[in-house]
Amino acid sequence: MSNFEDNQYLTFKIGDETFGIGLLNVKEILEYTHVTTVPMMPSFIPGVINLRGNVVPVLDVSDKFFRKKHSPDKRTCIVIVEVPESVNGARMDIGLIVESVYEVLSIPSSEIEPPPTFGSRIRVDFLSGMARQASGFILLLNLVRLLTVEELTALEETREEASHLTASNPA
């Protein structure tokens, strides 16, 4: 028997697609703010933000999936999510830059289909499923597989390095 919250998804727009993340993984939604650049990171990881004294790496989902940077506007948000398993087995917070947040939807398991084996514009291992809606599909993200082990390692190192810099140079 599944919990009601297990079928709740935060939906948001990236490019022409609607994506969803399990609500239990969403910690908060922030208005877009300045992201501090970290040298030598992949283009889809523009940097980090300071969230109440914690360094949180930020991922530009549009750049990661579609190789197109999104120019922030008044609807752009940073969705803070908790990735259940990072490199060292611990949980890790990541900020996802999204073009706009839509709503929280309850999606019954019966309406979620497995990702296709072809035809999607993104690698299907990033998806936990696809929810059929009247207006099309909602692509449901698998946060554990959103980033490769190498990318997660780089994010963890970036977060630790930025934390040390922040601690040694208080504002």
Side-chain angles (χ1 to χ4, degrees):
M1 172 151 264
S2 77
N3 185 343
F4 177 71
E5 290 180 341
D6 290 345
N7 293 330
Q8 300 268 310
Y9 294 88
L10 175 71
T11 59
F12 51 90
K13 178 182 181 212
I14 301 170
D16 295 330
E17 304 298 335
T18 301
F19 288 84
I21 293 177
L23 193 58
L24 293 176
N25 296 106
V26 177
K27 293 182 94 172
E28 61 187 294
I29 301 167
L30 307 172
E31 207 174 293
Y32 183 82
T33 184
H34 172 73
V35 175
T36 302
T37 303
V38 177
M40 308 206 22
M41 294 302 312
S43 67
F44 59 84
I45 302 173
V48 297
I49 60 171
N50 181 342
L51 184 63
R52 292 182 292 285
N54 295 314
V55 175
V56 177
V58 175
L59 171 73
D60 182 337
V61 185
S62 180
D63 190 12
K64 170 79 174 164
F65 290 161
F66 304 113
R67 305 274 190 254
K68 288 194 278 187
K69 288 217 175 277
H70 171 67
S71 297
D73 59 28
K74 65 181 181 176
R75 295 184 50 93
T76 304
C77 296
I78 298 177
V79 179
I80 306 298
V81 297
E82 183 177 70
V83 178
E85 304 166 27
S86 69
V87 179
N88 60 8
R91 296 173 182 270
M92 181 167 145
D93 291 346
I94 296 176
L96 304 177
I97 298 174
V98 302
E99 292 176 27
S100 61
V101 170
Y102 288 143
E103 62 187 330
V104 173
L105 291 177
S106 291
I107 304 174
S109 300
S110 61
E111 292 181 20
I112 298 175
E113 299 178 15
T117 55
F118 63 92
S120 177
R121 288 193 241 171
I122 63 173
R123 292 185 355 229
V124 294
D125 61 336
F126 289 51
L127 299 176
S128 61
M130 297 177 66
R132 184 182 306 274
Q133 301 289 294
S135 60
F137 283 101
I138 297 173
L139 304 171
L140 304 176
L141 294 179
N142 179 341
L143 289 177
V144 174
R145 302 184 103 187
L146 185 61
L147 297 169
T148 66
V149 171
E150 293 81 13
E151 292 164 347
L152 281 170
T153 301
L155 278 181
E156 184 62 26
E157 289 170 357
T158 299
R159 190 190 64 72
E160 288 175 7
E161 187 175 311
S163 292
H164 292 296
L165 287 174
T166 302
S168 63
N169 296 320

